[in-house]
Amino acid sequence: MKQGNIQETSTCNPLTEALSRIGDKWTIQVVMELEADPKRFSELRRAVGGISQKMLTLTLRALERDGLVTRTVYPTKPPSVEYALTDLGKEMVVPVRALGGWVIENLPRIASARQRFDAEAGSAVSDGCR
Amino acid sequence: MKQGNIQETSTCNPLTEALSRIGDKWTIQVVMELEADPKRFSELRRAVGGISQKMLTLTLRALERDGLVTRTVYPTKPPSVEYALTDLGKEMVVPVRALGGWVIENLPRIASARQRFDAEAGSAVSDGCR
DNA sequence: CGGTATCCCTGGTGATACTG
DNA sequence: CAGTATCACCAGGGATACCG
C-alpha cells in the first residue's frame, strides 16, 4: 500500500514504466509519424489528428528526454523546429512494430472474443471509438 | 519512405488502443504472473503487489473479454476461481517480451539520455517512482 | 511559428463496505 | 474466497490565453 516498499516488482518496474509511456495517448502516433520522416512542430500537429499543442509538447519533451527524439532549432525568421527519431528511437520502433503487427494480425480473433464475451454478458460496451 | 505503415490513424487506431491496454498500470504484471502459471484470484492479488481488488477484477475482465485469459470457476465450498492465459494470450506474450527485452537492454542508454537532458535543463524531475 | 502558463473538468484509481 | 457497489480523490489532458 505504501509506495516506499517497492521490492516486489523489482524496484520501480522499468518495463511497466516504459510501456506506460509507449502506451500513452499520443506517443506511438508521434513516433510513427517521425519514423516516416522528420517533421516540424506544426507538421506533426497536423499529422497527428486531434492532439493539443500542450500534449504534443509534453510528448515530444518526454521522447527527447529519453533520447528517442532530437529537437533541432533553425533560427529562421519565423523560427522552425525539426523533430526526428534518434538511432535509439529507430531501434525501439522495431519491437514496437512487432507488437503492433501481432495486434493487427490478431484483431479478428480479439474482436470475435469480445463479441462472444459481450453477447453472453449482455453488456453493451461497444468498443469506444469516438 | 514508408515501410508498411501500420496505423494511419484512419480508423480507431487499434494499435494505440492495444498499447494503451498493455501499457496500463496492471495488465502487464498480471499477464506475466499468469504466464508463469495459472493462479487464483487471491494468489494473483498477492503476486502483484499493491493492486486493489477492484483493479484486479477490472484488469482480468478486460483480458477475459479480449480472449487473452480464461476464467474457470470451481464450485468448491469456499469458491475458487482460476485464471489462465489462453493460447492467444500466450502468443501475445512473445512480442510483448520482445519489446520488454529491448527496454531492459537499453535502460542504460535511456537513463544516460535522461541525465544529459536533466542536467542541461536543470529540471529536477528525478524520475517518478511513486 | 513554436511554444509556456493557467484554468478546469473528466475518468481512472484507491479505499471502504457489503454480498453470495 | 471472490467478487460488486459506492464514494472520494487527484492526475491527465483539453481549452484558452499569452510570449519570444
Side-chain angles (χ1 to χ4, degrees):
Chain A
M1 52 212 256
K2 278 303 181 187
Q3 67 264 32
N5 201 354
I6 324 178
Q7 189 74 15
E8 295 123 334
T9 50
S10 80
T11 62
C12 205
N13 211 344
L15 175 51
T16 293
E17 187 207 343
L19 285 171
S20 295
R21 178 76 49 76
I22 290 168
D24 80 358
K25 203 171 177 184
W26 302 111
T27 300
I28 281 295
Q29 297 182 56
V30 169
V31 168
M32 287 310 183
E33 289 300 334
L34 289 182
E35 193 204 11
D37 47 9
K39 287 183 176 60
R40 303 198 358 222
F41 191 85
S42 310
E43 291 180 293
L44 219 35
R45 201 180 166 186
R46 259 177 280 115
V48 181
I51 191 171
S52 66
Q53 200 170 30
K54 175 184 172 182
M55 289 318 297
L56 181 52
T57 300
L58 287 179
T59 302
L60 288 169
R61 285 286 177 282
L63 288 169
E64 193 194 351
R65 187 168 106 99
D66 286 355
L68 300 170
V69 157
T70 57
R71 176 178 182 270
T72 314
V73 182
Y74 297 104
T76 53
K77 323 201 231 157
S80 80
V81 181
E82 189 173 83
Y83 292 91
L85 285 189
T86 62
D87 288 340
L88 190 62
K90 287 174 193 165
E91 283 179 44
M92 191 195 63
V93 168
V94 177
V96 170
R97 262 192 193 288
L99 178 55
W102 184 91
V103 170
I104 303 292
E105 228 170 281
N106 291 276
L107 227 42
R109 291 213 266 169
I110 295 174
S112 72
R114 283 187 186 175
Q115 287 190 343
R116 249 177 287 121
F117 185 92
D118 293 347
E120 78 183 69
S123 73
V125 183
S126 85
D127 198 310
C129 220
R130 11 174 181 166
Chain B
M1 42 154 135
K2 309 188 155 209
Q3 36 180 1
N5 213 344
I6 312 180
Q7 49 78 52
E8 198 63 28
T9 322
S10 356
T11 57
C12 197
N13 211 345
L15 175 51
T16 293
E17 188 205 343
L19 284 171
S20 295
R21 178 76 49 77
I22 291 168
D24 80 358
K25 204 171 176 183
W26 304 110
T27 300
I28 282 294
Q29 296 181 57
V30 169
V31 168
M32 288 310 183
E33 289 300 334
L34 289 182
E35 193 203 12
D37 47 9
K39 288 185 175 60
R40 299 190 11 214
F41 191 85
S42 309
E43 290 181 294
L44 219 34
R45 200 180 168 189
R46 259 176 280 113
V48 180
I51 192 171
S52 66
Q53 200 170 29
K54 175 183 172 185
M55 289 317 297
L56 181 52
T57 300
L58 288 179
T59 302
L60 287 169
R61 285 286 177 280
L63 288 169
E64 192 192 352
R65 186 168 107 98
D66 286 355
L68 300 169
V69 158
T70 57
R71 176 176 182 271
T72 313
V73 182
Y74 297 103
T76 53
K77 323 192 251 159
S80 81
V81 181
E82 188 173 83
Y83 292 92
L85 284 190
T86 62
D87 288 339
L88 191 61
K90 287 174 192 165
E91 284 179 42
M92 192 195 61
V93 168
V94 177
V96 169
R97 265 194 190 289
L99 178 54
W102 184 91
V103 170
I104 303 291
E105 226 170 281
N106 290 276
L107 228 42
R109 291 214 266 169
I110 294 174
S112 72
R114 283 186 187 176
Q115 287 190 341
R116 250 177 285 120
F117 185 91
D118 293 347
E120 78 181 71
S123 71
V125 183
S126 85
D127 196 308
C129 218
R130 350 165 304 145

